[in-house]
Amino acid sequence: MMTMNPQTLSFTAMMLAPVLIALIFFRYRHLQTKARYHALVQIAEKGVDLPTALFTDAQANFSERRRGLVLIAAGLGIMAMMVSLPFRIDGEQSIASLWGIGLLPLVTGLGYLASWGLNQRSETHR
């Protein structure tokens, strides 16, 4: 049987925590959307005409900007966390060398901000 040292166990827990948080978030959003559409079906079964505004998400207009800012902050936070942790992987490589993991959400967030900015620009030129 393989035993884990405390540093490896804490590193594994630290890496799995964001995955668990994301799964909980996506499960909540799925249940929320399912409940919304269930309510719309019940209203439609009563014979009430449903306006098209009920089928669109009201927060969709600002979601790109918000998502971009959250991802940039998460990327910077992951980078700062990796640099500041004193642990070593297998006693030789420092966790600080893994700071590049934070580049993925950082650059994704910059992409969302760029998309939001381009959409704002195209809406003003209409």
Side-chain angles (χ1 to χ4, degrees), residues 82-105:
M82 290 296 183
V83 169
S84 66
L85 288 175
F87 302 122
R88 295 201 169 274
I89 302 171
D90 294 330
E92 55 187 57
Q93 184 181 7
S94 173
I95 288 183
S97 64
L98 299 175
W99 66 270
I101 293 173
L103 288 175
L104 180 63

Side-chain angles (χ1 to χ4, degrees), residues 40-60:
L40 289 174
V41 167
Q42 286 180 337
I43 292 171
E45 286 175 349
K46 291 181 180 180
V48 176
D49 289 335
L50 299 174
T52 58
L54 288 177
F55 297 105
T56 60
D57 191 7
Q59 297 177 354

Side-chain angles (χ1 to χ4, degrees), residues 11 13 60:
F11 178 74

